[in-house]
Structure formats: structure tokens, C-alpha cells
Amino acid sequence: MAQDILDTVSTIRDAAVGRCRKRIEDAAKKAKGIIHRNPAEEENPGLCCEPQCGVTAVLKRKHGL
């Protein structure tokens, strides 16, 4: 029973790490300009006037992190 739980946890962890790697790769491609930006971002490039202008908010908005 304990081995089954460990196998399940390992499977879930591997899936989560894989999804994180995919998101990081996509964000890196987007940052390099390989993936095109959203049309809404192109229309309003200077959206830093929003209430959230922290470092994390800017990274999320620009790179999809």
C-alpha cells in the first residue's frame, strides 16, 4: 500500500514538473519573440498604468509566467 502511494505521488510530481517546464519554455519563446504576442498587448504596449505594477505583475503580463 505504501508503495502504491509513493508511485502515485511520484507520477503526480512528474506531471507537475513537466507542465512547469512547458510553461517556462513557452514563456522563454514568447520573451524571445518566437511566439507572437496577443493582439490586445500590441494595441496597448504601455499598460503599466494599471494598479498592479509590481515586478511579479509585470512578469506575468509580459511573459505569461
Side-chain angles (χ1 to χ4, degrees):
M1 173 122 176
Q3 187 62 31
D4 293 337
I5 293 172
L6 290 175
D7 289 342
T8 302
V9 169
S10 177
T11 302
I12 293 170
R13 183 187 63 226
D14 292 344
V17 169
R19 285 192 302 269
C20 288
R21 285 183 179 150
K22 174 80 170 103
R23 289 180 66 200
I24 290 170
E25 289 173 5
D26 290 345
K29 288 176 184 176
K30 185 175 180 182
K32 290 179 181 178
I34 295 173
I35 296 176
H36 299 289
R37 293 184 171 184
N38 294 334
E41 290 178 357
E42 292 177 3
E43 292 175 5
N44 300 320
L47 290 177
C48 195
C49 299
E50 293 180 1
Q52 295 180 340
C53 285
V55 174
T56 305
V58 172
L59 288 173
K60 284 182 181 179
R61 189 171 49 248
K62 286 186 177 181
H63 305 292
L65 297 176

